[in-house]
Amino acid sequence: MLDTKDFTLFENQIKFDLKGFIIKLAGYWKWFTVSWIVAFLIAYNVNIRKEKIYELDTTIAVKEESNPFFTSNTSLVFNWGGTSDQVQSLASTIKSRSHNEVVVDKLDFYLDYLKKGKYYMRDVYGEVPFKVEIDKSKPQLLRTLISIKFISENTFELSAFFEDEQAEIFIYNTNSSSKKGVNSGTFTKQFNFNQEINLPFLNIRLLKDAFLGNYVGQEYYIKFNKFDDVVTRYRGIKSSIDKNAQSIIKLTLEGTNKNRLVVYLNETVKTIIKAQLDRKNQFATNTIAFIDSTLLAMEDKLKDNENELKNFTKNKNYYQINTGGSQISAKILAYEVEKDGINRKITYYNSLKNYLVNSVDFSKLPAPSVAGVDDPNIAQNISKIIDLSTERAQKPYLVKNKKMFKDFDVQMEALKSVLLENIKSAKASLEYDLSVVNSKLGQAEAEMSQLPADEQEILKISRKYDLNNTIFTSFLSKRNEANIVKAANLADVHFIDPAKDIGGGQIGPNTKVNYVLAFFLGLFIPLIAVFIIFFLENTILNAEDISKLTTIPIIGIIGMKQTKSNLAVFEKQKSSLSESFRAIRSSLQFMYKKQKVEGSKTLMLTSSISGEGKTFCSINIATVFALSEKKTIIVGLDLRKPKIFDDFKIKNDVGVVNHLIGQKTLDEVIQNTHIPCLDVITSGPVPPNPSELLIGETMDQFMSELRNRYDYIILDTPPVGLVADAIELAPYADVTLYVIRQNYTKKEMVNLLNNRIQREELKNVSIVFNGFENRAKYGTGYGYGYGYGYGYSYIYGNYSNAYGEDERPKTFLQKIKRAIRKG
């Protein structure tokens, strides 16, 4: 278990890591800027290259409409059913394959009208100056752009490109596709408008729209698509039932062309209305068809009877013949009409029985009233079985539930059983009535047999004619009644708000979403990259990183220089950077005093590797000592890579090397600078044996002479991580400053420093944190440098050494308080 102290340390560790990560993020702000610019440019280009998507809708109502001519006195009995389940069924029908096949085929929506846009092929249905008339029985080129270019007002150029010698063709009448041999390359030929185009792969005719102006020079494209693919796409139409009004259905369709959406939505409703009305009229239609077939046969019988009567009365006095038997004839005619009615009922029942037993489709059954059957139960059951049969025929395109078909079959079987029982009992009654009528008819015919032969014959012929004429007239009346009922029928589906393009309706592409995604991608991609770099990279990012790696105190924190040369303190003596070096000077004086160093004081600066700023720090620390009127000298002891002379505009012709090998005296190698009280000894020519020069007796004499002449000696030495020269020079230094540069020095280099100190190769070491840039406050001018240069180094440098490692304030707030108390 972690105690409170451990938890506090763990919490501080997290804070330090978070701060380092934030500093790293700030250092890569350009990455985020570029990433956002690129992401938003990509989003913009994606948005302008996407075709606009629109959504239009239409609203319909389902309401049961009663027929104004269908009353209790109507002899034809039609049961129209109700609308209790029509709304849900209609919503499903609109999305069905069979319904959309009818609409797509009627509108020829498998043909695309296109025009080349800046970024994509634009659907221009309703905007083209021509219409394509398709021969659906002949092949059409499938899925290939066919160019239509206007050459003149009456001529156009048709062209198509074939990649190989086989082209896919499609015949819409049979809904079948196949391959057709063609010549690879571009096919081009000119045609006139209204001219039939009969090609092996294309059979159409272009009808020009004379009202759309002159389009000479314009180029359009047409493309044929597979019928089933187009139907599947339009089955995506949305049909939603209003929750507040269950009889209201809203149809919604999405697409890239609003003209096409308007036409399809309105046509789909018109198709639904026609189909629903046809279904509603099915009973009347069947009845009219039955009557028409009966009337056709009756008409022939009437003509035969009329001819027979004419032939018999030819050369005879009809009025002398027809004198005595009219009453008997009328009686017989009445019996024969009654007998015919009974026979027609029996015939209808026999036909209905055979139909029920042998058929599965009952949608063609006529109304029983045409045969004189007025039993309401039979009429109602026949209406139900017709309705069920019609509905079941549509179900395979609406549902895939086998249980649904089974339920329909059970209902129809039940109705069939009821009807067969009704037929059986009705036929028994009719057969009895027929025997009674036959008996009466026999008695009347016996009375007629007493009349003269010619009179009997003329009465017989007249009676047949009158019988057929009566039946014919009766059927005509029933047919007219059925037509009136059918014509007066109203559909249960009505337009409330037809589809119309009134502007707007755009639903895509959603450009806002793309820009939001671009923002987050532009943020997260560099964020992840920096996150990876942060954990893979092993550089010092802040003072806390140093504190976690070593117990060596930080004597000062140096910010970024704002001058071209390394003489930052001399050129800007009141800058925050200068204050940072003055703070280091104060800390060094305190350390010399604590170590009881009298007289000349020696300071050595080194680092882990080249490029960490030890020469920059050497020059400016020496400058602050010189500006306080202390005789100061900088000695360039980096014999392998000399560079301290450039900023003072002096030459490196002679230097330490020349003196150590005895070529030059000390006075000859000392060079004055333009900074008062500051001299420089450069390293001189690069020797073949730098280390050997630094460990000889000459070096001891050299340092002794410098102590006699100067108050402060600044030794600019090589990096200890690369060569051992600085270790050889360490005994000459009273204090050693180890330069660490932000975002440059590797963390493992600090472990190297720890090892040097443990082996006592370096003593009295303090750390200078160079190149510090607090990006969280970057751009605040003087406050930035002063707060993190002078103040921070003052706290860490002066007070940490004054109080020692154990007495140093533990929190940043305590450090601030102590700094304020100190003055």
Side-chain angles (χ1 to χ4, degrees):
M1 295 293 291
L2 289 173
D3 57 17
T4 306
K5 183 178 180 181
D6 293 333
F7 183 79
T8 303
L9 291 174
F10 178 71
E11 185 180 16
N12 291 336
Q13 180 73 30
I14 294 175
K15 290 179 181 178
F16 291 158
D17 291 341
L18 180 61
K19 185 175 180 181
F21 182 63
I22 292 173
I23 292 173
K24 177 64 71 173
L25 281 179
Y28 288 94
W29 64 270
K30 291 182 180 179
W31 285 27
F32 288 91
T33 303
V34 173
S35 179
W36 271 319
I37 291 173
V38 172
F40 277 105
L41 284 175
I42 292 173
Y44 171 76
N45 280 278
V46 168
N47 287 338
I48 63 175
R49 281 170 168 77
K50 280 188 175 181
E51 195 168 3
K52 293 180 180 179
I53 301 173
Y54 301 94
E55 181 181 80
L56 296 182
D57 58 66
T58 182
T59 309
I60 60 175
V62 183
K63 180 182 179 182
E64 184 176 4
E65 296 288 353
S66 60
N67 193 317
F69 289 95
F70 182 58
T71 66
S72 59
N73 296 324
T74 306
S75 62
L76 289 175
V77 181
F78 302 123
N79 186 342
W80 309 113
T83 60
S84 58
D85 64 341
Q86 282 196 51
V87 177
Q88 188 62 51
S89 178
L90 202 60
S92 300
T93 301
I94 289 168
K95 298 174 69 68
S96 69
R97 182 175 61 83
S98 58
H99 166 74
N100 285 282
E101 281 180 350
V102 173
V103 181
V104 170
D105 183 63
K106 186 174 182 179
L107 297 176
D108 295 339
F109 267 20
Y110 42 78
L111 175 64
D112 291 339
Y113 295 86
L114 306 169
K115 190 174 183 180
K116 187 176 292 184
K118 186 175 181 180
Y119 300 110
Y120 49 80
M121 297 298 291
R122 189 167 63 91
D123 185 352
V124 289
Y125 175 84
E127 303 173 23
V128 293
F130 61 90
K131 181 182 178 182
V132 177
E133 188 179 88
I134 305 167
D135 189 343
K136 298 180 182 180
S137 64
K138 294 182 180 179
Q140 312 294 347
L141 184 61
L142 193 63
R143 295 172 180 160
T144 301
L145 286 176
I146 303 170
S147 170
I148 306 292
K149 187 173 183 179
F150 284 63
I151 304 300
S152 66
E153 290 187 1
N154 298 313
T155 308
F156 64 91
E157 182 182 80
L158 185 146
S159 62
F161 177 75
F162 300 104
E163 294 183 356
D164 49 41
E165 296 182 352
Q166 291 288 324
E168 189 175 8
I169 59 173
F170 197 88
I171 300 176
Y172 288 97
N173 271 0
T174 59
N175 197 19
S176 61
S177 61
S178 60
K179 294 287 186 177
K180 190 76 174 180
V182 294
N183 295 323
S184 60
T186 302
F187 170 86
T188 303
K189 192 173 182 180
Q190 291 187 7
F191 296 93
N192 295 325
F193 285 99
N194 299 323
Q195 176 187 350
E196 289 189 1
I197 301 174
N198 295 314
L199 299 172
F201 53 85
L202 190 65
N203 294 272
I204 59 174
R205 184 169 63 166
L206 261 64
L207 306 178
K208 185 180 178 183
D209 190 340
F211 299 101
L212 289 179
N214 184 12
Y215 282 81
V216 176
Q218 294 287 333
E219 185 175 16
Y220 297 89
Y221 298 87
I222 60 173
K223 185 177 73 169
F224 289 92
N225 300 289
K226 270 194 172 181
F227 184 79
D228 290 338
D229 293 346
V230 177
V231 171
T232 300
R233 186 167 74 246
Y234 280 104
R235 287 186 69 185
I237 186 173
K238 300 175 184 176
S239 57
S240 55
I241 301 173
D242 195 320
K243 294 181 179 179
N244 299 322
Q246 293 295 318
S247 61
I248 304 298
I249 300 177
K250 183 178 181 181
L251 308 181
T252 308
L253 189 62
E254 297 178 5
T256 58
N257 183 286
K258 291 198 280 187
N259 293 325
R260 193 182 287 272
L261 297 179
V262 169
V263 171
Y264 195 88
L265 283 170
N266 290 333
E267 186 59 40
T268 200
V269 175
K270 291 177 183 177
T271 303
I272 284 290
I273 291 174
K274 183 179 182 303
Q276 195 267 346
L277 189 58
D278 288 346
R279 180 180 170 185
K280 196 171 186 180
N281 288 332
Q282 186 67 52
F283 209 173
T285 302
N286 296 347
T287 300
I288 292 171
F290 178 82
I291 293 175
D292 286 343
S293 62
T294 304
L295 288 177
L296 190 62
M298 294 298 298
E299 188 176 2
D300 292 338
K301 288 183 178 181
L302 281 173
K303 287 181 180 180
D304 293 340
N305 294 148
E306 187 177 358
N307 291 332
E308 186 179 2
L309 183 60
K310 286 181 180 180
N311 292 332
F312 180 78
T313 57
K314 190 176 182 180
N315 300 322
K316 293 181 181 179
N317 189 340
Y318 173 78
Y319 295 100
Q320 291 180 355
I321 297 173
N322 187 20
T323 55
S326 57
Q327 292 182 350
I328 299 174
S329 178
K331 187 188 295 184
I332 293 174
L333 177 61
Y335 290 146
E336 286 182 340
V337 170
E338 186 178 356
K339 179 181 178 181
D340 181 76
I342 294 172
N343 283 328
R344 277 192 287 115
K345 290 180 182 180
I346 293 174
T347 302
Y348 178 82
Y349 283 136
N350 289 332
S351 175
L352 180 60
K353 180 180 178 181
N354 292 332
Y355 209 101
L356 292 173
V357 172
N358 299 321
S359 179
V360 291
D361 180 13
F362 311 113
S363 60
K364 303 298 183 182
L365 286 173
S369 57
V370 297
V373 177
D374 53 4
D375 187 337
N377 291 328
I378 292 178
Q380 186 176 8
N381 287 334
I382 290 176
S383 176
K384 287 182 179 179
I385 204 168
I386 289 173
D387 191 56
L388 285 173
S389 182
T390 304
E391 188 174 355
R392 191 192 187 285
Q394 296 177 351
K395 287 296 177 183
Y397 306 113
L398 304 179
V399 297
K400 301 295 182 184
N401 192 345
K402 293 182 179 180
K403 185 178 182 299
M404 181 74 73
F405 298 123
K406 188 176 180 180
D407 292 342
F408 271 86
D409 292 340
V410 169
Q411 291 182 53
M412 284 192 287
E413 287 297 326
L415 282 173
K416 281 169 59 176
S417 300
V418 172
L419 277 171
L420 289 172
E421 287 297 324
N422 290 337
I423 290 170
K424 183 178 179 181
S425 59
K427 277 182 65 178
S429 177
L430 287 174
E431 288 172 353
Y432 173 77
D433 292 341
L434 182 60
S435 64
V436 173
V437 171
N438 284 332
S439 176
K440 292 179 180 180
L441 187 59
Q443 293 176 4
E445 286 178 346
E447 293 179 16
M448 183 175 284
S449 62
Q450 304 298 321
L451 298 175
D454 287 342
E455 191 173 351
Q456 289 184 37
E457 188 65 26
I458 194 69
L459 288 175
K460 183 178 179 181
I461 295 172
S462 298
R463 194 171 67 247
K464 285 195 299 183
Y465 178 83
D466 292 340
L467 176 63
N468 289 329
N469 188 51
T470 300
I471 297 171
F472 189 86
T473 303
S474 174
F475 272 100
L476 277 178
S477 175
K478 292 180 184 296
R479 189 184 190 281
N480 289 335
E481 188 175 337
N483 275 325
I484 291 172
V485 171
K486 181 179 178 181
N489 242 351
L490 298 175
D492 294 339
V493 180
H494 308 276
F495 268 117
I496 292 180
D497 194 8
K500 185 179 180 181
D501 178 15
I502 56 174
Q506 182 178 342
I507 61 170
N510 195 337
T511 55
K512 293 181 180 179
V513 171
N514 289 340
Y515 286 127
V516 171
L517 289 175
F519 172 80
F520 283 107
L521 285 175
L523 173 66
F524 285 118
I525 290 176
L527 186 66
I528 293 171
V530 174
F531 186 81
I532 294 172
I533 291 173
F534 178 76
F535 284 100
L536 293 181
E537 191 177 60
N538 196 27
T539 58
I540 301 296
L541 297 178
N542 48 53
E544 285 80 358
D545 287 345
I546 300 173
S547 299
K548 289 185 291 183
L549 295 171
T550 182
T551 57
I552 301 172
I554 300 175
I555 197 172
I557 297 179
I558 307 300
M560 300 292 291
K561 70 173 183 176
Q562 304 296 325
T563 57
K564 293 183 179 179
S565 71
N566 284 327
L567 302 176
V569 172
F570 182 74
E571 292 179 2
K572 292 186 178 181
Q573 297 184 23
K574 294 184 178 181
S575 67
S576 58
L577 191 66
S578 299
E579 294 298 332
S580 300
F581 282 107
R582 290 189 183 98
I584 294 174
R585 179 190 63 187
S586 299
S587 299
L588 288 172
Q589 288 173 340
F590 180 81
M591 292 176 68
Y592 290 137
K593 184 178 179 181
K594 185 177 181 180
Q595 295 174 22
K596 299 179 181 181
V597 178
E598 302 292 339
S600 178
K601 302 171 181 63
T602 305
L603 174 66
M604 184 180 80
L605 283 92
T606 187
S607 63
S608 302
I609 56 176
S610 178
E612 291 173 304
K614 57 182 177 52
T615 300
F616 168 74
C617 291
S618 299
I619 292 173
N620 286 284
I621 289 173
T623 301
V624 295
F625 280 121
L627 291 177
S628 62
E629 298 182 352
K630 300 292 183 180
K631 292 186 66 178
T632 307
I633 188 168
I634 304 173
V635 183
L637 292 176
D638 190 351
L639 305 183
R640 292 176 173 81
K641 194 177 181 181
K643 55 182 178 180
I644 203 168
F645 51 89
D646 288 336
D647 296 289
F648 295 103
K649 298 181 180 178
I650 58 178
K651 295 181 180 180
N652 191 36
D653 296 337
V654 294
V656 174
V657 174
N658 301 96
H659 177 71
L660 293 178
I661 63 176
Q663 288 183 349
K664 300 290 182 179
T665 64
L666 183 61
D667 292 328
E668 291 176 326
V669 297
I670 294 175
Q671 300 187 58
N672 298 325
T673 68
H674 59 285
I675 299 175
C677 300
L678 180 61
D679 295 334
V680 174
I681 299 177
T682 62
S683 60
V686 178
N689 54 346
S691 297
E692 285 75 4
L693 288 176
L694 297 176
I695 60 175
E697 294 182 0
T698 310
M699 185 65 190
D700 295 334
Q701 296 174 3
F702 172 69
M703 292 299 299
S704 178
E705 291 183 35
L706 289 178
R707 288 192 182 96
N708 294 330
R709 295 190 183 192
Y710 292 95
D711 296 320
Y712 288 95
I713 303 167
I714 311 299
L715 304 180
D716 181 37
T717 64
V720 296
L722 300 178
V723 293
D725 295 3
I727 305 300
E728 305 295 340
L729 296 170
Y732 300 108
D734 300 317
V735 174
T736 300
L737 296 185
Y738 196 92
V739 180
I740 291 176
R741 182 177 171 184
Q742 184 189 39
N743 208 25
Y744 187 85
T745 303
K746 302 295 182 182
K747 291 180 180 179
E748 57 265 20
M749 294 299 180
V750 180
N751 294 328
L752 175 64
L753 173 62
N754 291 332
N755 293 334
R756 297 286 189 189
I757 293 173
Q758 288 177 3
R759 295 195 296 266
E760 298 184 350
E761 295 174 352
L762 295 174
K763 296 180 180 180
N764 299 326
V765 180
S766 294
I767 293 174
V768 174
F769 191 26
N770 184 36
F772 180 78
E773 185 178 10
N774 185 1
R775 292 176 176 85
K777 294 190 177 182
Y778 184 82
T780 56
Y782 184 80
Y784 147 74
Y786 190 82
Y788 286 88
Y790 174 80
Y792 204 56
S793 64
Y794 187 72
I795 292 168
Y796 265 93
N798 239 342
Y799 279 92
S800 63
N801 287 289
Y803 291 99
E805 188 67 28
D806 295 333
E807 300 178 23
R808 190 169 58 178
K810 301 302 181 184
T811 65
F812 187 73
L813 183 59
Q814 291 173 351
K815 296 168 189 174
I816 293 294
K817 289 179 179 177
R818 287 202 170 187
I820 293 172
R821 284 200 304 268
K822 190 68 179 176

